[in-house]
Amino acid sequence: MPTELERAMEILLCQFHKYACKEGKSNSLSRCELKKLMENELPTFLKSQKDPGAVDKIFKDLDCDGDGEVNFQEYLSLIGGLSLSCNQLYEMHLRQQNQQCKK
Ligand SMILES: [Ca+2]
């Protein structure tokens, strides 16, 4: 039976391939595929973006090799960046909880 972390990794790559196989290259995300993935799987993050061109900017930032597609390695930058932001919020929340406990 897979551990929670192994399951999380499986979900991460299955989600990527679920969208990557829709058009063009089957192992990378086109701009449209990335947009669909973010709309369906990261709706809260996407709604927090004030800029209507946010997906286009994110796509451009992720496409490091400039081939017009986002491969899994490039996609991991998005997941890593979002995870880092979530961790910062989580640590802030823990600090606030600790301060309240000490009062
Ligand atoms: Ca690329």
Side-chain angles (χ1 to χ4, degrees):
M1 199 170 128
T3 65
E4 279 189 72
L5 184 56
E6 288 167 341
R7 181 80 185 113
M9 288 161 57
E10 182 187 359
I11 291 169
L12 200 62
L13 63 96
C14 285
Q15 289 280 296
F16 173 84
H17 286 287
K18 181 177 142 187
Y19 289 89
C21 72
K22 293 197 186 291
E23 63 177 32
K25 290 184 196 169
S26 61
N27 61 349
S28 57
L29 297 168
S30 65
R31 192 179 299 261
C32 185
E33 288 167 337
L34 179 71
K35 188 170 189 272
K36 285 234 162 54
L37 184 154
M38 294 186 76
E39 284 171 352
N40 294 335
E41 312 300 339
L42 297 167
T44 309
F45 168 72
L46 208 52
K47 278 179 198 149
S48 73
Q49 300 300 303
K50 308 279 181 243
D51 182 355
V55 174
D56 284 344
K57 282 187 180 163
I58 291 167
F59 184 89
K60 207 174 163 191
D61 287 345
L62 292 177
D63 184 17
C64 287
D65 60 9
D67 69 348
E69 297 269 334
V70 169
N71 62 32
F72 188 67
Q73 190 176 344
E74 291 167 335
Y75 174 69
L76 285 179
S77 303
L78 174 67
I79 301 303
L82 289 175
S83 299
L84 280 171
S85 297
C86 290
N87 185 53
Q88 284 170 351
L89 290 173
Y90 181 69
E91 287 182 355
M92 200 167 70
H93 173 73
L94 284 180
R95 276 196 299 274
Q96 286 170 348
Q97 266 190 339
N98 284 342
Q99 282 172 354
Q100 283 172 353
C101 286
K102 288 175 187 171
K103 285 180 185 172

